[in-house]
mmCIF file of all heavy atoms in Angstrom:
data_model
loop_
_atom_site.group_PDB
_atom_site.id
_atom_site.type_symbol
_atom_site.label_atom_id
_atom_site.label_comp_id
_atom_site.label_asym_id
_atom_site.label_seq_id
_atom_site.Cartn_x
_atom_site.Cartn_y
_atom_site.Cartn_z
ATOM 1 N N GLU A 47 2.026 -45.635 59.696
ATOM 2 C CA GLU A 47 2.712 -46.856 60.117
ATOM 3 C C GLU A 47 1.699 -47.986 60.302
ATOM 4 O O GLU A 47 1.965 -49.135 59.969
ATOM 5 C CB GLU A 47 3.474 -46.583 61.409
ATOM 6 C CG GLU A 47 4.430 -47.672 61.801
ATOM 7 C CD GLU A 47 5.305 -47.256 62.978
ATOM 8 O OE1 GLU A 47 4.986 -46.286 63.700
ATOM 9 O OE2 GLU A 47 6.338 -47.928 63.180
ATOM 10 N N ARG A 48 0.532 -47.648 60.781
ATOM 11 C CA ARG A 48 -0.536 -48.641 60.961
ATOM 12 C C ARG A 48 -0.980 -49.211 59.608
ATOM 13 O O ARG A 48 -1.208 -50.402 59.474
ATOM 14 C CB ARG A 48 -1.721 -48.029 61.697
ATOM 15 C CG ARG A 48 -2.810 -49.029 62.030
ATOM 16 C CD ARG A 48 -3.854 -48.485 62.970
ATOM 17 N NE ARG A 48 -3.346 -47.942 64.226
ATOM 18 C CZ ARG A 48 -2.904 -48.681 65.255
ATOM 19 N NH1 ARG A 48 -2.898 -49.984 65.169
ATOM 20 N NH2 ARG A 48 -2.478 -48.092 66.349
ATOM 21 N N GLN A 49 -1.092 -48.348 58.595
ATOM 22 C CA GLN A 49 -1.465 -48.823 57.266
ATOM 23 C C GLN A 49 -0.375 -49.725 56.686
ATOM 24 O O GLN A 49 -0.684 -50.732 56.047
ATOM 25 C CB GLN A 49 -1.739 -47.650 56.329
ATOM 26 C CG GLN A 49 -3.027 -46.934 56.659
ATOM 27 C CD GLN A 49 -3.179 -45.674 55.844
ATOM 28 O OE1 GLN A 49 -2.336 -44.777 55.917
ATOM 29 N NE2 GLN A 49 -4.251 -45.603 55.085
ATOM 30 N N LEU A 50 0.868 -49.366 56.918
ATOM 31 C CA LEU A 50 1.979 -50.195 56.459
ATOM 32 C C LEU A 50 1.915 -51.559 57.116
ATOM 33 O O LEU A 50 2.078 -52.586 56.457
ATOM 34 C CB LEU A 50 3.321 -49.512 56.745
ATOM 35 C CG LEU A 50 4.578 -50.298 56.376
ATOM 36 C CD1 LEU A 50 4.624 -50.630 54.881
ATOM 37 C CD2 LEU A 50 5.821 -49.515 56.787
ATOM 38 N N ALA A 51 1.667 -51.585 58.412
ATOM 39 C CA ALA A 51 1.548 -52.854 59.128
ATOM 40 C C ALA A 51 0.420 -53.699 58.545
ATOM 41 O O ALA A 51 0.575 -54.912 58.345
ATOM 42 C CB ALA A 51 1.322 -52.609 60.615
ATOM 43 N N THR A 52 -0.692 -53.067 58.243
ATOM 44 C CA THR A 52 -1.822 -53.783 57.632
ATOM 45 C C THR A 52 -1.422 -54.317 56.258
ATOM 46 O O THR A 52 -1.695 -55.478 55.934
ATOM 47 C CB THR A 52 -3.052 -52.856 57.516
ATOM 48 O OG1 THR A 52 -3.421 -52.436 58.829
ATOM 49 C CG2 THR A 52 -4.220 -53.563 56.864
ATOM 50 N N ASP A 53 -0.777 -53.488 55.446
ATOM 51 C CA ASP A 53 -0.335 -53.912 54.109
ATOM 52 C C ASP A 53 0.631 -55.079 54.170
ATOM 53 O O ASP A 53 0.665 -55.923 53.273
ATOM 54 C CB ASP A 53 0.321 -52.752 53.357
ATOM 55 C CG ASP A 53 -0.669 -51.676 52.956
ATOM 56 O OD1 ASP A 53 -1.893 -51.922 53.037
ATOM 57 O OD2 ASP A 53 -0.208 -50.577 52.563
ATOM 58 N N LEU A 54 1.432 -55.145 55.239
ATOM 59 C CA LEU A 54 2.423 -56.217 55.396
ATOM 60 C C LEU A 54 1.907 -57.366 56.251
ATOM 61 O O LEU A 54 2.658 -58.300 56.539
ATOM 62 C CB LEU A 54 3.714 -55.648 55.994
ATOM 63 C CG LEU A 54 4.457 -54.661 55.111
ATOM 64 C CD1 LEU A 54 5.672 -54.113 55.828
ATOM 65 C CD2 LEU A 54 4.849 -55.296 53.793
ATOM 66 N N ASN A 55 0.649 -57.249 56.684
ATOM 67 C CA ASN A 55 0.029 -58.288 57.505
ATOM 68 C C ASN A 55 0.858 -58.584 58.757
ATOM 69 O O ASN A 55 1.150 -59.734 59.076
ATOM 70 C CB ASN A 55 -0.202 -59.564 56.680
ATOM 71 C CG ASN A 55 -1.191 -60.487 57.335
ATOM 72 O OD1 ASN A 55 -2.081 -60.042 58.059
ATOM 73 N ND2 ASN A 55 -1.039 -61.770 57.106
ATOM 74 N N THR A 56 1.229 -57.512 59.424
ATOM 75 C CA THR A 56 1.991 -57.625 60.662
ATOM 76 C C THR A 56 1.485 -56.554 61.625
ATOM 77 O O THR A 56 0.433 -55.980 61.400
ATOM 78 C CB THR A 56 3.512 -57.503 60.391
ATOM 79 O OG1 THR A 56 4.226 -57.854 61.572
ATOM 80 C CG2 THR A 56 3.922 -56.140 59.913
ATOM 81 N N ASN A 57 2.233 -56.292 62.681
ATOM 82 C CA ASN A 57 1.789 -55.266 63.624
ATOM 83 C C ASN A 57 2.763 -54.081 63.637
ATOM 84 O O ASN A 57 3.891 -54.177 63.166
ATOM 85 C CB ASN A 57 1.582 -55.859 65.033
ATOM 86 C CG ASN A 57 2.857 -56.384 65.629
ATOM 87 O OD1 ASN A 57 3.836 -55.664 65.745
ATOM 88 N ND2 ASN A 57 2.854 -57.641 66.030
ATOM 89 N N VAL A 58 2.282 -52.994 64.204
ATOM 90 C CA VAL A 58 3.048 -51.753 64.231
ATOM 91 C C VAL A 58 4.350 -51.910 65.003
ATOM 92 O O VAL A 58 5.383 -51.358 64.618
ATOM 93 C CB VAL A 58 2.194 -50.600 64.822
ATOM 94 C CG1 VAL A 58 3.020 -49.350 65.016
ATOM 95 C CG2 VAL A 58 1.004 -50.307 63.933
ATOM 96 N N ARG A 59 4.320 -52.685 66.042
ATOM 97 C CA ARG A 59 5.530 -52.857 66.851
ATOM 98 C C ARG A 59 6.647 -53.525 66.034
ATOM 99 O O ARG A 59 7.813 -53.148 66.146
ATOM 100 C CB ARG A 59 5.209 -53.674 68.099
ATOM 101 C CG ARG A 59 6.363 -53.707 69.038
ATOM 102 C CD ARG A 59 5.940 -53.800 70.441
ATOM 103 N NE ARG A 59 7.161 -53.798 71.241
ATOM 104 C CZ ARG A 59 7.215 -54.041 72.494
ATOM 105 N NH1 ARG A 59 6.117 -54.273 73.158
ATOM 106 N NH2 ARG A 59 8.351 -54.021 73.141
#
Side-chain angles (χ1 to χ4, degrees):
E47 191 172 17
R48 185 169 305 285
Q49 288 172 301
L50 177 60
T52 299
D53 290 347
L54 294 177
N55 197 29
T56 190
N57 63 56
V58 173
R59 188 149 181 190

